[in-house]
Amino acid sequence: MLSQNTADVNTDRTYAELRRRFPTWSAVRDAPVAEIERAIALGGLSHVKAPRIAAILEALSPLGAEPDLAVLDELPDDEALAYLERLPGVGPKTAACVLLFSLGRPVMPVDTHVHRVAGRLGLIDPGVTAEAAHALLTALAGPDPADVYAAHVGLVRHGRRVCHARRPACGRCPLVGLCPSAFLV
Ligand code: SF4
């Protein structure tokens, strides 16, 4: 949630400030929304994110217990995704990030880099949306969470360093011999 629509450096600082002000997730949940908003102001859109964070923590803490993700333990990946996507402000990418990074599930988050690079490499067909690409790339990466993690991180890194949105560096790309889009973008 904190990383939405902001740079990584702001996400890290915002998260640190939130944890500094509120040492537990129940403290965040129980705080006035205006205080959460002030704590996460650096990351932008705090007036949108703060009430969503409060609502999510409330939903994840039945009977007022400390919020956690135990509700997902018994759910298969597709149902866990659907559960998370019903929470306010949680779309397919955020839900997939939680499942992969927090719970070690083999679910591929598709951000702008993953979507662009996968499309150029022909891993997904032209016109496939980022939302639709989640299921396709998850299936392609296979059932091992370590493979999904490596594929996600590799695609993001390649998109940042080489296969830029504008003027991809095909001349120094190690995938040039495999890529149907080489020197065509
Ligand atoms: S060859 Fe060019 S378009 Fe293809 S992955 Fe490499 S940088 Fe991207």
Side-chain angles (χ1 to χ4, degrees), residues 117 120-121 158 162-163 168-170 173 175-176 179 181-183 185:
V117 177
R120 287 175 178 170
L121 286 170
H158 195 59
V162 181
C163 192
C170 301
C173 176
L175 301 175
V176 68
C179 179
S181 307
F183 300 107
V185 180

